[in-house]
Amino acid sequence: MPAEGFEMHAPHSELPRLAADVLARLRARRPRVHCITNTVAQQFTANMLLAAGAIPSMTIAPEEVAGFVASADALLVNLGTFDAERRRAVEIALDAAAAKGLRWLLDPVLIDRSPPRADFARMLIARKPAAFRLNAAEFAALAGQPAEATAIAGFARGAGSVVAVSGATDLVSDGAHALQIANGHPFMGLVTAMGCAVSAIVTACLAVERDPFHATAAALLVGGVAGEIAGGLAAGPGSFAMHIIASVHSLDAAMLTARARVS
Amino acid sequence: MPAEGFEMHAPHSELPRLAADVLARLRARRPRVHCITNTVAQQFTANMLLAAGAIPSMTIAPEEVAGFVASADALLVNLGTFDAERRRAVEIALDAAAAKGLRWLLDPVLIDRSPPRADFARMLIARKPAAFRLNAAEFAALAGQPAEATAIAGFARGAGSVVAVSGATDLVSDGAHALQIANGHPFMGLVTAMGCAVSAIVTACLAVERDPFHATAAALLVGGVAGEIAGGLAAGPGSFAMHIIASVHSLDAAMLTARARVS
Amino acid sequence: MPAEGFEMHAPHSELPRLAADVLARLRARRPRVHCITNTVAQQFTANMLLAAGAIPSMTIAPEEVAGFVASADALLVNLGTFDAERRRAVEIALDAAAAKGLRWLLDPVLIDRSPPRADFARMLIARKPAAFRLNAAEFAALAGQPAEATAIAGFARGAGSVVAVSGATDLVSDGAHALQIANGHPFMGLVTAMGCAVSAIVTACLAVERDPFHATAAALLVGGVAGEIAGGLAAGPGSFAMHIIASVHSLDAAMLTARARVS
């Protein structure tokens, strides 16, 4: 599945149109995204990927993970469960991805609370993820400095990756360019695995958009706008989880353009 | 828990009445269904079984899986997570089921994408599942030929099992009889573990209906009609997952009769 | 995070006010609850904890579970998946909790159907859980006698713990005091992991309320009243799961007082 490109001349204002275009590609091509992720996040991640147009698979068995990665269009590595079996699956999957030239994303969940997990995440930087998605505390644990714009750009440049730091305002940088996205809703912090699921959508976008910076920014805008729409419909965090799946499924260029707060 | 029977003289027209009768038995007797299934599917499968009237259990620990199977009324074997621990649990569970004469169902999830998983599934045919539920690609990988009516009947005859191939139209065959069920809704393909959950409902029906062909067809009609009702209520795939649980819980003979498209 | 106290002079009538106060503390302080729980229950448990105001973590990796427990405010041990890896995680986590003087809760899921799991649960009594939450069949398997008020009080006294036995009417005892809570809704029995999630909320309350009896009774009232409100809104067990999360999130003193049936 060759990734297409989309020329953005004025990223701040053109991102909604790019994001709509990337969503259309997901729905038309249905990329396969292999996910090595934690058991808490698996169901919600799979449902968010399906809503976005992608096809998830989630095995971590050493006998078959390489085969699944080889027939996938992108790979998600989420460290939210840090057991020996999953670490081994990550190594096998990254070898299979490298052999095929497949893009992958690293989501170093909660490395700020686990030094061994942080060590493992730092070791994976050398395996050249196309993108990182993480929160400010996780960025600080990974990079050894606070999640400020210049530090994020510097880390992205050093790693040769796109870095997306999620928060009330998301920051996306590839070292040369940066965008801020101020969409989202407070309920996103009250649904488990919300960040994990957004990482999975970034991964899916990496399969269909040639420029990793554009793919990552588009996915974060999709997540943020879908979250805002869901927040307007939800009576609480339980129904929010349901509404954000519906919003991702029905999102279009008009909704993205009307709501995007990109700077 | 002895399984009752229900004589169908004209299966095409009598299936809704049989399905309502089987559902009534599930709700009255609350069979225990032990499920060896993948971690992505566990929560949704458990909630669908509870909605149908059955009581799920899901341990795969080698120390206790035999005990759970021995006190269960039917066994589900779903290959969606193919790790060594789960394979060992399958072996122990099948020995316990055989010792007790318990019926079991095989759901060979995604064997079309994993040769080692397909090998394992083929080996399990000799352990005589009462039924298989799978999609067309999985059938082709299992049987070595396309999922056409005569191939499905031949495979069912050879295996001495009922085979249910899910799709836009479901096909159920025991080698001697066959039914097609054209119910369902496109959102069923956008909720992870939907097929896994339907397999679990088939397994529950095998515990309370003597004829495995009737049990399997009844369960597929329940899933398809519940899906249609949910599709009419849902704004998107997120709420669809919630509505299909409610539909399974409230389904009755009138709804089944009004909507069934059996041929 | 030091636990505050709340003096109850007339527990039956003051419990709603205490429960509202404990909820306010959860929302203000956001205690971290580390959960060793089964894979079926993880997602729903995490979402219920987030709705109540707590912050869940769920790793069982031996390399890092001690670190997570050491930086947590309370520990949940749920035996719903009884594999070797989880048993080892329990031992490590209990050592870390003991070293820090951290309170923990034992939920001995389905020990009535698994003798090895029951043996393990009985062994854990000596590790002094602050509270147990379980159903009548599980209590009988743990204590060797039926779940009647005097047996529950005797067991609580012997173990030096609070015991909460869930059912149509919940019974909470610390050996010296006892309360009965008659709130709840039948759909609570049709959503998988509902008991597991209530146990997690008890665990969160143990982090912010000094008296374990008060903490446990408050949490069971929260669960029961939230269940009743959700039952009034839900069309079936699928939407019930969503509504109970919203109810826990929005519960206040007026709702607790209006609905509490404590004796």
mmCIF file with all atom_site columns, all heavy atoms in Angstrom, chain A residues 32 42-43 47 61 63-64 68 71 242 249, chain B residues 39 43 82-83 87 113-114 117 190 192 239:
data_model
loop_
_atom_site.group_PDB
_atom_site.id
_atom_site.type_symbol
_atom_site.label_atom_id
_atom_site.label_alt_id
_atom_site.label_comp_id
_atom_site.label_asym_id
_atom_site.label_entity_id
_atom_site.label_seq_id
_atom_site.pdbx_PDB_ins_code
_atom_site.Cartn_x
_atom_site.Cartn_y
_atom_site.Cartn_z
_atom_site.occupancy
_atom_site.B_iso_or_equiv
_atom_site.pdbx_formal_charge
_atom_site.auth_seq_id
_atom_site.auth_comp_id
_atom_site.auth_asym_id
_atom_site.auth_atom_id
_atom_site.pdbx_PDB_model_num
ATOM 1   N N   . ARG A 1 32  ? -4.155  -2.198  7.084  1.00 0.00 ? 32  ARG A N   1
ATOM 2   C CA  . ARG A 1 32  ? -4.027  -3.106  8.232  1.00 0.00 ? 32  ARG A CA  1
ATOM 3   C C   . ARG A 1 32  ? -3.006  -2.536  9.213  1.00 0.00 ? 32  ARG A C   1
ATOM 4   O O   . ARG A 1 32  ? -1.864  -2.264  8.822  1.00 0.00 ? 32  ARG A O   1
ATOM 5   C CB  . ARG A 1 32  ? -3.560  -4.477  7.773  1.00 0.00 ? 32  ARG A CB  1
ATOM 6   C CG  . ARG A 1 32  ? -4.600  -5.240  6.975  1.00 0.00 ? 32  ARG A CG  1
ATOM 7   C CD  . ARG A 1 32  ? -3.969  -6.487  6.385  1.00 0.00 ? 32  ARG A CD  1
ATOM 8   N NE  . ARG A 1 32  ? -4.995  -7.378  5.853  1.00 0.00 ? 32  ARG A NE  1
ATOM 9   C CZ  . ARG A 1 32  ? -4.734  -8.568  5.328  1.00 0.00 ? 32  ARG A CZ  1
ATOM 10  N NH1 . ARG A 1 32  ? -3.479  -9.003  5.273  1.00 0.00 ? 32  ARG A NH1 1
ATOM 11  N NH2 . ARG A 1 32  ? -5.704  -9.326  4.872  1.00 0.00 ? 32  ARG A NH2 1
ATOM 12  N N   . GLN A 1 42  ? -6.817  -2.828  24.414 1.00 0.00 ? 42  GLN A N   1
ATOM 13  C CA  . GLN A 1 42  ? -7.015  -3.544  23.145 1.00 0.00 ? 42  GLN A CA  1
ATOM 14  C C   . GLN A 1 42  ? -8.400  -3.326  22.534 1.00 0.00 ? 42  GLN A C   1
ATOM 15  O O   . GLN A 1 42  ? -8.524  -3.021  21.345 1.00 0.00 ? 42  GLN A O   1
ATOM 16  C CB  . GLN A 1 42  ? -6.764  -5.038  23.340 1.00 0.00 ? 42  GLN A CB  1
ATOM 17  C CG  . GLN A 1 42  ? -5.273  -5.367  23.489 1.00 0.00 ? 42  GLN A CG  1
ATOM 18  C CD  . GLN A 1 42  ? -5.025  -6.845  23.662 1.00 0.00 ? 42  GLN A CD  1
ATOM 19  O OE1 . GLN A 1 42  ? -5.862  -7.580  24.187 1.00 0.00 ? 42  GLN A OE1 1
ATOM 20  N NE2 . GLN A 1 42  ? -3.869  -7.301  23.235 1.00 0.00 ? 42  GLN A NE2 1
ATOM 21  N N   . GLN A 1 43  ? -9.460  -3.490  23.315 1.00 0.00 ? 43  GLN A N   1
ATOM 22  C CA  . GLN A 1 43  ? -10.795 -3.413  22.741 1.00 0.00 ? 43  GLN A CA  1
ATOM 23  C C   . GLN A 1 43  ? -11.101 -2.003  22.210 1.00 0.00 ? 43  GLN A C   1
ATOM 24  O O   . GLN A 1 43  ? -11.574 -1.849  21.082 1.00 0.00 ? 43  GLN A O   1
ATOM 25  C CB  . GLN A 1 43  ? -11.841 -3.822  23.790 1.00 0.00 ? 43  GLN A CB  1
ATOM 26  C CG  . GLN A 1 43  ? -13.241 -3.898  23.202 1.00 0.00 ? 43  GLN A CG  1
ATOM 27  C CD  . GLN A 1 43  ? -14.316 -4.056  24.269 1.00 0.00 ? 43  GLN A CD  1
ATOM 28  O OE1 . GLN A 1 43  ? -14.102 -3.798  25.449 1.00 0.00 ? 43  GLN A OE1 1
ATOM 29  N NE2 . GLN A 1 43  ? -15.481 -4.477  23.856 1.00 0.00 ? 43  GLN A NE2 1
ATOM 30  N N   . ASN A 1 47  ? -11.707 -0.834  18.263 1.00 0.00 ? 47  ASN A N   1
ATOM 31  C CA  . ASN A 1 47  ? -12.942 -0.194  17.809 1.00 0.00 ? 47  ASN A CA  1
ATOM 32  C C   . ASN A 1 47  ? -12.689 1.190   17.222 1.00 0.00 ? 47  ASN A C   1
ATOM 33  O O   . ASN A 1 47  ? -13.357 1.593   16.266 1.00 0.00 ? 47  ASN A O   1
ATOM 34  C CB  . ASN A 1 47  ? -13.965 -0.151  18.947 1.00 0.00 ? 47  ASN A CB  1
ATOM 35  C CG  . ASN A 1 47  ? -14.628 -1.500  19.137 1.00 0.00 ? 47  ASN A CG  1
ATOM 36  O OD1 . ASN A 1 47  ? -14.769 -2.273  18.185 1.00 0.00 ? 47  ASN A OD1 1
ATOM 37  N ND2 . ASN A 1 47  ? -15.033 -1.805  20.361 1.00 0.00 ? 47  ASN A ND2 1
ATOM 38  N N   . ALA A 1 61  ? 1.976   -13.392 19.836 1.00 0.00 ? 61  ALA A N   1
ATOM 39  C CA  . ALA A 1 61  ? 2.619   -14.711 19.897 1.00 0.00 ? 61  ALA A CA  1
ATOM 40  C C   . ALA A 1 61  ? 3.862   -14.719 19.023 1.00 0.00 ? 61  ALA A C   1
ATOM 41  O O   . ALA A 1 61  ? 3.814   -14.335 17.856 1.00 0.00 ? 61  ALA A O   1
ATOM 42  C CB  . ALA A 1 61  ? 1.640   -15.793 19.439 1.00 0.00 ? 61  ALA A CB  1
ATOM 43  N N   . GLU A 1 63  ? 5.420   -16.942 17.485 1.00 0.00 ? 63  GLU A N   1
ATOM 44  C CA  . GLU A 1 63  ? 5.340   -17.766 16.268 1.00 0.00 ? 63  GLU A CA  1
ATOM 45  C C   . GLU A 1 63  ? 4.713   -17.024 15.097 1.00 0.00 ? 63  GLU A C   1
ATOM 46  O O   . GLU A 1 63  ? 4.862   -17.433 13.956 1.00 0.00 ? 63  GLU A O   1
ATOM 47  C CB  . GLU A 1 63  ? 4.484   -19.015 16.499 1.00 0.00 ? 63  GLU A CB  1
ATOM 48  C CG  . GLU A 1 63  ? 5.024   -19.983 17.505 1.00 0.00 ? 63  GLU A CG  1
ATOM 49  C CD  . GLU A 1 63  ? 4.547   -19.635 18.908 1.00 0.00 ? 63  GLU A CD  1
ATOM 50  O OE1 . GLU A 1 63  ? 4.249   -18.443 19.169 1.00 0.00 ? 63  GLU A OE1 1
ATOM 51  O OE2 . GLU A 1 63  ? 4.479   -20.551 19.732 1.00 0.00 ? 63  GLU A OE2 1
ATOM 52  N N   . GLU A 1 64  ? 3.921   -16.008 15.357 1.00 0.00 ? 64  GLU A N   1
ATOM 53  C CA  . GLU A 1 64  ? 3.132   -15.470 14.254 1.00 0.00 ? 64  GLU A CA  1
ATOM 54  C C   . GLU A 1 64  ? 3.182   -13.958 14.126 1.00 0.00 ? 64  GLU A C   1
ATOM 55  O O   . GLU A 1 64  ? 2.671   -13.408 13.158 1.00 0.00 ? 64  GLU A O   1
ATOM 56  C CB  . GLU A 1 64  ? 1.681   -15.935 14.362 1.00 0.00 ? 64  GLU A CB  1
ATOM 57  C CG  . GLU A 1 64  ? 1.011   -15.555 15.666 1.00 0.00 ? 64  GLU A CG  1
ATOM 58  C CD  . GLU A 1 64  ? -0.474  -15.980 15.713 1.00 0.00 ? 64  GLU A CD  1
ATOM 59  O OE1 . GLU A 1 64  ? -0.935  -16.713 14.827 1.00 0.00 ? 64  GLU A OE1 1
ATOM 60  O OE2 . GLU A 1 64  ? -1.156  -15.545 16.653 1.00 0.00 ? 64  GLU A OE2 1
ATOM 61  N N   . PHE A 1 68  ? 2.145   -11.440 10.854 1.00 0.00 ? 68  PHE A N   1
ATOM 62  C CA  . PHE A 1 68  ? 1.124   -10.393 10.883 1.00 0.00 ? 68  PHE A CA  1
ATOM 63  C C   . PHE A 1 68  ? 1.716   -9.038  10.491 1.00 0.00 ? 68  PHE A C   1
ATOM 64  O O   . PHE A 1 68  ? 1.107   -8.289  9.734  1.00 0.00 ? 68  PHE A O   1
ATOM 65  C CB  . PHE A 1 68  ? 0.460   -10.324 12.262 1.00 0.00 ? 68  PHE A CB  1
ATOM 66  C CG  . PHE A 1 68  ? -0.720  -11.249 12.403 1.00 0.00 ? 68  PHE A CG  1
ATOM 67  C CD1 . PHE A 1 68  ? -0.561  -12.559 12.822 1.00 0.00 ? 68  PHE A CD1 1
ATOM 68  C CD2 . PHE A 1 68  ? -2.005  -10.814 12.092 1.00 0.00 ? 68  PHE A CD2 1
ATOM 69  C CE1 . PHE A 1 68  ? -1.649  -13.419 12.933 1.00 0.00 ? 68  PHE A CE1 1
ATOM 70  C CE2 . PHE A 1 68  ? -3.095  -11.660 12.198 1.00 0.00 ? 68  PHE A CE2 1
ATOM 71  C CZ  . PHE A 1 68  ? -2.925  -12.971 12.617 1.00 0.00 ? 68  PHE A CZ  1
ATOM 72  N N   . SER A 1 71  ? 2.328   -8.681  6.748  1.00 0.00 ? 71  SER A N   1
ATOM 73  C CA  . SER A 1 71  ? 1.134   -8.451  5.917  1.00 0.00 ? 71  SER A CA  1
ATOM 74  C C   . SER A 1 71  ? 0.355   -7.219  6.379  1.00 0.00 ? 71  SER A C   1
ATOM 75  O O   . SER A 1 71  ? -0.784  -7.007  5.959  1.00 0.00 ? 71  SER A O   1
ATOM 76  C CB  . SER A 1 71  ? 0.242   -9.691  5.910  1.00 0.00 ? 71  SER A CB  1
ATOM 77  O OG  . SER A 1 71  ? -0.228  -9.987  7.209  1.00 0.00 ? 71  SER A OG  1
ATOM 78  N N   . MET A 1 242 ? -18.431 5.993   23.674 1.00 0.00 ? 242 MET A N   1
ATOM 79  C CA  . MET A 1 242 ? -19.276 5.544   22.567 1.00 0.00 ? 242 MET A CA  1
ATOM 80  C C   . MET A 1 242 ? -19.393 6.636   21.506 1.00 0.00 ? 242 MET A C   1
ATOM 81  O O   . MET A 1 242 ? -19.281 6.366   20.312 1.00 0.00 ? 242 MET A O   1
ATOM 82  C CB  . MET A 1 242 ? -20.623 5.242   23.183 1.00 0.00 ? 242 MET A CB  1
ATOM 83  C CG  . MET A 1 242 ? -21.707 4.847   22.275 1.00 0.00 ? 242 MET A CG  1
ATOM 84  S SD  . MET A 1 242 ? -23.249 4.816   23.264 1.00 0.00 ? 242 MET A SD  1
ATOM 85  C CE  . MET A 1 242 ? -23.875 6.474   22.907 1.00 0.00 ? 242 MET A CE  1
ATOM 86  N N   . HIS A 1 249 ? -16.054 7.864   13.130 1.00 0.00 ? 249 HIS A N   1
ATOM 87  C CA  . HIS A 1 249 ? -16.646 7.164   11.981 1.00 0.00 ? 249 HIS A CA  1
ATOM 88  C C   . HIS A 1 249 ? -17.316 8.129   10.997 1.00 0.00 ? 249 HIS A C   1
ATOM 89  O O   . HIS A 1 249 ? -17.304 7.899   9.796  1.00 0.00 ? 249 HIS A O   1
ATOM 90  C CB  . HIS A 1 249 ? -17.655 6.134   12.495 1.00 0.00 ? 249 HIS A CB  1
ATOM 91  C CG  . HIS A 1 249 ? -18.282 5.306   11.423 1.00 0.00 ? 249 HIS A CG  1
ATOM 92  N ND1 . HIS A 1 249 ? -19.597 5.423   11.065 1.00 0.00 ? 249 HIS A ND1 1
ATOM 93  C CD2 . HIS A 1 249 ? -17.770 4.346   10.616 1.00 0.00 ? 249 HIS A CD2 1
ATOM 94  C CE1 . HIS A 1 249 ? -19.875 4.573   10.085 1.00 0.00 ? 249 HIS A CE1 1
ATOM 95  N NE2 . HIS A 1 249 ? -18.793 3.910   9.801  1.00 0.00 ? 249 HIS A NE2 1
ATOM 96  N N   . THR B 1 39  ? -7.788  -11.784 24.341 1.00 0.00 ? 39  THR B N   1
ATOM 97  C CA  . THR B 1 39  ? -7.999  -10.701 25.304 1.00 0.00 ? 39  THR B CA  1
ATOM 98  C C   . THR B 1 39  ? -8.764  -9.527  24.693 1.00 0.00 ? 39  THR B C   1
ATOM 99  O O   . THR B 1 39  ? -9.430  -8.792  25.410 1.00 0.00 ? 39  THR B O   1
ATOM 100 C CB  . THR B 1 39  ? -6.645  -10.211 25.865 1.00 0.00 ? 39  THR B CB  1
ATOM 101 O OG1 . THR B 1 39  ? -5.774  -9.931  24.771 1.00 0.00 ? 39  THR B OG1 1
ATOM 102 C CG2 . THR B 1 39  ? -6.007  -11.265 26.739 1.00 0.00 ? 39  THR B CG2 1
ATOM 103 N N   . GLN B 1 43  ? -14.180 -9.000  27.084 1.00 0.00 ? 43  GLN B N   1
ATOM 104 C CA  . GLN B 1 43  ? -15.226 -8.219  27.734 1.00 0.00 ? 43  GLN B CA  1
ATOM 105 C C   . GLN B 1 43  ? -16.525 -8.250  26.927 1.00 0.00 ? 43  GLN B C   1
ATOM 106 O O   . GLN B 1 43  ? -17.604 -8.515  27.488 1.00 0.00 ? 43  GLN B O   1
ATOM 107 C CB  . GLN B 1 43  ? -14.759 -6.765  27.920 1.00 0.00 ? 43  GLN B CB  1
ATOM 108 C CG  . GLN B 1 43  ? -15.761 -5.947  28.720 1.00 0.00 ? 43  GLN B CG  1
ATOM 109 C CD  . GLN B 1 43  ? -15.430 -4.454  28.706 1.00 0.00 ? 43  GLN B CD  1
ATOM 110 O OE1 . GLN B 1 43  ? -14.700 -3.958  27.869 1.00 0.00 ? 43  GLN B OE1 1
ATOM 111 N NE2 . GLN B 1 43  ? -16.002 -3.737  29.643 1.00 0.00 ? 43  GLN B NE2 1
ATOM 112 N N   . PHE B 1 82  ? -2.874  -16.465 20.014 1.00 0.00 ? 82  PHE B N   1
ATOM 113 C CA  . PHE B 1 82  ? -2.267  -17.763 19.753 1.00 0.00 ? 82  PHE B CA  1
ATOM 114 C C   . PHE B 1 82  ? -0.944  -17.871 20.499 1.00 0.00 ? 82  PHE B C   1
ATOM 115 O O   . PHE B 1 82  ? 0.112   -18.019 19.922 1.00 0.00 ? 82  PHE B O   1
ATOM 116 C CB  . PHE B 1 82  ? -2.057  -17.900 18.235 1.00 0.00 ? 82  PHE B CB  1
ATOM 117 C CG  . PHE B 1 82  ? -1.556  -19.232 17.793 1.00 0.00 ? 82  PHE B CG  1
ATOM 118 C CD1 . PHE B 1 82  ? -2.369  -20.347 17.905 1.00 0.00 ? 82  PHE B CD1 1
ATOM 119 C CD2 . PHE B 1 82  ? -0.290  -19.382 17.253 1.00 0.00 ? 82  PHE B CD2 1
ATOM 120 C CE1 . PHE B 1 82  ? -1.915  -21.585 17.481 1.00 0.00 ? 82  PHE B CE1 1
ATOM 121 C CE2 . PHE B 1 82  ? 0.172   -20.621 16.836 1.00 0.00 ? 82  PHE B CE2 1
ATOM 122 C CZ  . PHE B 1 82  ? -0.637  -21.718 16.946 1.00 0.00 ? 82  PHE B CZ  1
ATOM 123 N N   . ASP B 1 83  ? -0.955  -17.745 21.824 1.00 0.00 ? 83  ASP B N   1
ATOM 124 C CA  . ASP B 1 83  ? 0.293   -17.876 22.568 1.00 0.00 ? 83  ASP B CA  1
ATOM 125 C C   . ASP B 1 83  ? 0.379   -19.284 23.166 1.00 0.00 ? 83  ASP B C   1
ATOM 126 O O   . ASP B 1 83  ? -0.589  -20.046 23.185 1.00 0.00 ? 83  ASP B O   1
ATOM 127 C CB  . ASP B 1 83  ? 0.403   -16.789 23.638 1.00 0.00 ? 83  ASP B CB  1
ATOM 128 C CG  . ASP B 1 83  ? -0.825  -16.712 24.516 1.00 0.00 ? 83  ASP B CG  1
ATOM 129 O OD1 . ASP B 1 83  ? -1.262  -17.771 25.036 1.00 0.00 ? 83  ASP B OD1 1
ATOM 130 O OD2 . ASP B 1 83  ? -1.366  -15.618 24.680 1.00 0.00 ? 83  ASP B OD2 1
ATOM 131 N N   . ARG B 1 87  ? -2.527  -22.155 23.974 1.00 0.00 ? 87  ARG B N   1
ATOM 132 C CA  . ARG B 1 87  ? -2.558  -23.454 23.288 1.00 0.00 ? 87  ARG B CA  1
ATOM 133 C C   . ARG B 1 87  ? -2.607  -24.578 24.312 1.00 0.00 ? 87  ARG B C   1
ATOM 134 O O   . ARG B 1 87  ? -3.330  -25.554 24.149 1.00 0.00 ? 87  ARG B O   1
ATOM 135 C CB  . ARG B 1 87  ? -1.322  -23.612 22.400 1.00 0.00 ? 87  ARG B CB  1
ATOM 136 C CG  . ARG B 1 87  ? -1.405  -22.777 21.131 1.00 0.00 ? 87  ARG B CG  1
ATOM 137 C CD  . ARG B 1 87  ? -0.412  -23.264 20.078 1.00 0.00 ? 87  ARG B CD  1
ATOM 138 N NE  . ARG B 1 87  ? 0.962   -23.192 20.530 1.00 0.00 ? 87  ARG B NE  1
ATOM 139 C CZ  . ARG B 1 87  ? 1.720   -22.087 20.491 1.00 0.00 ? 87  ARG B CZ  1
ATOM 140 N NH1 . ARG B 1 87  ? 1.218   -20.955 20.061 1.00 0.00 ? 87  ARG B NH1 1
ATOM 141 N NH2 . ARG B 1 87  ? 2.967   -22.122 20.890 1.00 0.00 ? 87  ARG B NH2 1
ATOM 142 N N   . ARG B 1 113 ? -4.419  -15.412 8.075  1.00 0.00 ? 113 ARG B N   1
ATOM 143 C CA  . ARG B 1 113 ? -3.239  -14.549 8.122  1.00 0.00 ? 113 ARG B CA  1
ATOM 144 C C   . ARG B 1 113 ? -2.108  -15.186 8.914  1.00 0.00 ? 113 ARG B C   1
ATOM 145 O O   . ARG B 1 113 ? -1.077  -14.562 9.112  1.00 0.00 ? 113 ARG B O   1
ATOM 146 C CB  . ARG B 1 113 ? -3.594  -13.173 8.715  1.00 0.00 ? 113 ARG B CB  1
ATOM 147 C CG  . ARG B 1 113 ? -4.361  -12.322 7.703  1.00 0.00 ? 113 ARG B CG  1
ATOM 148 C CD  . ARG B 1 113 ? -4.562  -10.916 8.204  1.00 0.00 ? 113 ARG B CD  1
ATOM 149 N NE  . ARG B 1 113 ? -3.322  -10.179 8.355  1.00 0.00 ? 113 ARG B NE  1
ATOM 150 C CZ  . ARG B 1 113 ? -3.232  -9.015  8.987  1.00 0.00 ? 113 ARG B CZ  1
ATOM 151 N NH1 . ARG B 1 113 ? -4.324  -8.470  9.511  1.00 0.00 ? 113 ARG B NH1 1
ATOM 152 N NH2 . ARG B 1 113 ? -2.085  -8.390  9.102  1.00 0.00 ? 113 ARG B NH2 1
ATOM 153 N N   . SER B 1 114 ? -2.251  -16.420 9.383  1.00 0.00 ? 114 SER B N   1
ATOM 154 C CA  . SER B 1 114 ? -1.235  -17.020 10.241 1.00 0.00 ? 114 SER B CA  1
ATOM 155 C C   . SER B 1 114 ? -1.139  -18.524 10.001 1.00 0.00 ? 114 SER B C   1
ATOM 156 O O   . SER B 1 114 ? -1.918  -19.300 10.538 1.00 0.00 ? 114 SER B O   1
ATOM 157 C CB  . SER B 1 114 ? -1.582  -16.743 11.711 1.00 0.00 ? 114 SER B CB  1
ATOM 158 O OG  . SER B 1 114 ? -0.719  -17.463 12.552 1.00 0.00 ? 114 SER B OG  1
ATOM 159 N N   . ARG B 1 117 ? -1.193  -20.785 13.111 1.00 0.00 ? 117 ARG B N   1
ATOM 160 C CA  . ARG B 1 117 ? -2.507  -20.836 13.722 1.00 0.00 ? 117 ARG B CA  1
ATOM 161 C C   . ARG B 1 117 ? -3.433  -21.751 12.900 1.00 0.00 ? 117 ARG B C   1
ATOM 162 O O   . ARG B 1 117 ? -4.217  -22.525 13.453 1.00 0.00 ? 117 ARG B O   1
ATOM 163 C CB  . ARG B 1 117 ? -3.086  -19.419 13.779 1.00 0.00 ? 117 ARG B CB  1
ATOM 164 C CG  . ARG B 1 117 ? -4.060  -19.192 14.876 1.00 0.00 ? 117 ARG B CG  1
ATOM 165 C CD  . ARG B 1 117 ? -4.726  -17.833 14.761 1.00 0.00 ? 117 ARG B CD  1
ATOM 166 N NE  . ARG B 1 117 ? -3.918  -16.732 15.257 1.00 0.00 ? 117 ARG B NE  1
ATOM 167 C CZ  . ARG B 1 117 ? -4.391  -15.510 15.492 1.00 0.00 ? 117 ARG B CZ  1
ATOM 168 N NH1 . ARG B 1 117 ? -5.681  -15.254 15.280 1.00 0.00 ? 117 ARG B NH1 1
ATOM 169 N NH2 . ARG B 1 117 ? -3.616  -14.554 15.940 1.00 0.00 ? 117 ARG B NH2 1
ATOM 170 N N   . LEU B 1 190 ? -17.837 -3.451  12.036 1.00 0.00 ? 190 LEU B N   1
ATOM 171 C CA  . LEU B 1 190 ? -17.067 -2.322  12.579 1.00 0.00 ? 190 LEU B CA  1
ATOM 172 C C   . LEU B 1 190 ? -16.945 -2.367  14.104 1.00 0.00 ? 190 LEU B C   1
ATOM 173 O O   . LEU B 1 190 ? -16.480 -1.414  14.715 1.00 0.00 ? 190 LEU B O   1
ATOM 174 C CB  . LEU B 1 190 ? -17.707 -0.990  12.151 1.00 0.00 ? 190 LEU B CB  1
ATOM 175 C CG  . LEU B 1 190 ? -17.631 -0.663  10.653 1.00 0.00 ? 190 LEU B CG  1
ATOM 176 C CD1 . LEU B 1 190 ? -18.232 0.703   10.377 1.00 0.00 ? 190 LEU B CD1 1
ATOM 177 C CD2 . LEU B 1 190 ? -16.177 -0.685  10.173 1.00 0.00 ? 190 LEU B CD2 1
ATOM 178 N N   . THR B 1 192 ? -15.183 -4.622  17.027 1.00 0.00 ? 192 THR B N   1
ATOM 179 C CA  . THR B 1 192 ? -14.235 -5.715  17.223 1.00 0.00 ? 192 THR B CA  1
ATOM 180 C C   . THR B 1 192 ? -14.890 -6.831  18.030 1.00 0.00 ? 192 THR B C   1
ATOM 181 O O   . THR B 1 192 ? -15.704 -6.571  18.913 1.00 0.00 ? 192 THR B O   1
ATOM 182 C CB  . THR B 1 192 ? -12.942 -5.209  17.884 1.00 0.00 ? 192 THR B CB  1
ATOM 183 O OG1 . THR B 1 192 ? -11.925 -6.209  17.698 1.00 0.00 ? 192 THR B OG1 1
ATOM 184 C CG2 . THR B 1 192 ? -13.090 -4.959  19.374 1.00 0.00 ? 192 THR B CG2 1
ATOM 185 N N   . SER B 1 239 ? -22.283 3.122   19.584 1.00 0.00 ? 239 SER B N   1
ATOM 186 C CA  . SER B 1 239 ? -23.552 2.817   20.239 1.00 0.00 ? 239 SER B CA  1
ATOM 187 C C   . SER B 1 239 ? -24.123 1.498   19.725 1.00 0.00 ? 239 SER B C   1
ATOM 188 O O   . SER B 1 239 ? -24.879 0.830   20.430 1.00 0.00 ? 239 SER B O   1
ATOM 189 C CB  . SER B 1 239 ? -24.556 3.954   20.045 1.00 0.00 ? 239 SER B CB  1
ATOM 190 O OG  . SER B 1 239 ? -24.733 4.253   18.693 1.00 0.00 ? 239 SER B OG  1
#
